[in-house]
Amino acid sequence: MDEWDLENADPTHQVGARHHIVPAFYLRRFANSQNQLWVRDRRSPMPGLRKESDLAIRDFYTFQDLHGDPDGRMEQVLQKIEDRAASALRRVTSAVTWGRPIRPEDKTDLCVFTAFQYVRGLRKRREIELMSDFYVRVMQLNDPVGAGRREAATYREMLRDFRTLEVTSHPNEHVSLLGELAEPLSNHLLHRPLIVVELTNGALITCDEPVVTFDDQEDTPDPVIAQARQRTRSRRRRGQREIRQTRTLIQVQSTRNRGLARVDEIVLPVGRRTLLVFSHPAAAGPSHLRITREEGHEVAEEVNKRMLAQAYFMAFAHPDDRHLLAESLPEVGPLYRLGGVHPEQARVAGAAPSHLRPELFGRR
């Protein structure tokens, strides 16, 4: 990233522009010659044709700098990542280079792109918002040990407020974490064998959260820890009552998967009949693989099933494959699970979000 000279880049560039959550070049790989896709949007009663240029959100990656001014350099960073990934994808999927070992530079660019795609979307921003709300609850919703009637009444009133209010972080929080979240993921992907898979039959769809995982244990999530039973005591010192502090272990577990480091395969559809598969680190296989017609239909069905289950707001298909989006998208459930927490905190985390749309820069 240093070679892009971001320090001296124009911070006003891309401010006010429409930013793609799912990159435009990626969507075009599923579009027809008019750059149209068949889109199933949970906010609309019926699916329909939409151009890839319409599938963007104004200022989604714009952030507020230390002087309070809008800054568009994160979108510039993402465009650089997308440009490199687009070039790498053309090379690794080309019929001319099919079967040749994937160049290390191309694999690196695809790993970085996949890692950023995993953390840059609407769902991740909403997760961060809910975690901010949870943090405030952890700090505030503690039973008032050794308090008087007035303090207890104040606590009960605050508890009622927290059942109807939500503390939301600024979009800056998500934007500032993108690099920090993506770096370890891209490093992990680099240690996995990368296979370009081509289907000879069947058709693939994609969605606004297109990185999916496959694992034998994925349908049985790990149990969360129970709340520790602790006694918080107070003691008197020089006529004053002093509350002793306690430490509590809290577990946060995503509902999206068991963690990328633990799954068998990480899959990203990159076309109607093409997949990138990051297989298990201990696995060995060819760099390119063509699947038979019988297997291709089965693989497409399984990947599409995961795509529909993981779609946050939208799923996309080529207009000729619109039958694959005939059904409504499944409801979005809780975004994370909590262990070792107060029952009120667990209740909030165990429910589906009150709304799915996260905060957008300059808008509410």
Side-chain angles (χ1 to χ4, degrees), residues 37-324:
L37 299 102
W38 190 255
V39 180
R40 167 69 75 172
D41 190 330
R42 68 172 69 255
R43 296 162 293 189
S44 302
M46 298 295 293
L49 283 174
R50 295 177 67 178
K51 297 199 72 171
E52 54 83 13
S53 57
D54 298 330
L55 301 171
I57 300 174
R58 180 168 56 86
D59 278 330
F60 189 78
Y61 298 111
T62 298
F63 61 94
Q64 190 175 44
D65 67 14
L66 296 176
H67 304 289
D69 299 321
D71 193 314
R73 281 178 288 186
M74 178 52 74
E75 173 64 9
Q76 297 174 47
V77 170
L78 294 173
Q79 285 183 346
K80 294 290 186 181
I81 293 171
E82 293 164 15
D83 289 345
R84 293 187 175 190
S87 299
L89 266 180
R90 285 193 295 270
R91 284 189 289 269
V92 302
T93 60
S94 169
V96 176
T97 59
W98 186 267
R100 297 180 186 174
I102 297 173
R103 301 191 315 167
E105 315 91 82
D106 289 340
K107 183 179 180 182
T108 298
D109 291 338
L110 293 173
C111 288
V112 171
F113 170 75
T114 303
F116 269 92
Q117 195 57 53
Y118 188 76
V119 301
R120 66 184 282 184
L122 289 156
R123 175 183 171 123
K124 177 56 70 175
R125 180 169 294 187
R126 189 72 181 110
E127 284 182 3
I128 292 171
E129 290 179 356
L130 292 174
M131 288 305 302
S132 299
D133 179 67
F134 165 62
Y135 176 77
V136 174
R137 291 173 186 273
V138 168
M139 301 304 295
Q140 296 294 330
L141 296 184
N142 296 299
D143 295 326
V145 179
R149 293 182 180 180
R150 181 178 300 177
E151 289 80 3
T154 301
Y155 171 77
R156 287 194 296 270
E157 183 177 351
M158 182 175 61
L159 192 61
R160 286 194 297 269
D161 289 341
F162 269 94
R163 287 178 175 170
T164 57
L165 300 178
E166 179 183 311
V167 179
T168 303
S169 58
H170 191 277
N172 270 24
E173 188 71 15
H174 177 221
V175 177
S176 67
L177 287 172
L178 287 181
E180 184 179 338
L181 292 171
E183 183 178 8
L185 294 180
S186 62
N187 289 336
H188 172 73
L189 293 173
L190 279 168
H191 290 88
R192 285 177 173 262
L194 173 59
I195 306 174
V196 182
V197 178
E198 183 179 276
L199 311 184
T200 54
N201 189 31
L204 297 166
I205 64 173
T206 189
C207 70
D208 50 4
E209 295 289 339
V211 182
V212 296
T213 59
F214 289 86
D215 186 74
D216 290 340
Q217 305 296 323
E218 199 158 17
D219 293 331
T220 55
D222 297 331
V224 295
I225 61 176
Q227 183 182 19
R229 298 185 62 183
Q230 296 179 339
R231 290 194 305 170
T232 305
R233 298 177 179 176
S234 62
R235 60 184 177 184
R236 293 187 180 276
R237 176 181 291 178
R238 295 181 181 178
Q240 295 182 346
R241 200 168 195 181
E242 180 181 302
I243 304 300
R244 290 180 180 176
Q245 295 182 343
T246 60
R247 294 181 179 180
T248 304
L249 178 64
I250 295 175
Q251 178 188 13
V252 181
Q253 188 181 95
S254 172
T255 58
R256 182 150 55 168
N257 52 52
R258 299 176 65 241
L260 295 188
R262 303 177 62 191
V263 298
D264 294 331
E265 294 178 330
I266 301 167
V267 176
L268 174 67
V270 292
R272 292 179 69 191
R273 291 184 174 85
T274 311
L275 295 164
L276 295 184
V277 178
F278 297 89
S279 56
H280 193 277
S287 61
H288 295 76
L289 179 66
R290 254 187 205 100
I291 296 182
T292 63
R293 293 181 62 86
E294 295 75 14
E295 293 175 324
H297 183 77
E298 183 179 340
V299 169
E301 187 176 8
E302 187 61 31
V303 171
N304 292 343
K305 180 181 176 183
R306 293 294 177 100
M307 283 290 156
L308 291 173
Q310 192 160 291
Y312 194 65
F313 274 121
M314 292 182 285
F316 316 104
H318 189 281
D320 292 345
D321 304 327
R322 64 184 65 188
H323 62 282
L324 298 174

Side-chain angles (χ1 to χ4, degrees), residues 18-29:
R18 292 169 60 82
H19 303 166
H20 279 82
I21 310 301
V22 183
F25 89 88
Y26 176 85
L27 291 173
R28 286 194 291 270
R29 297 179 68 89

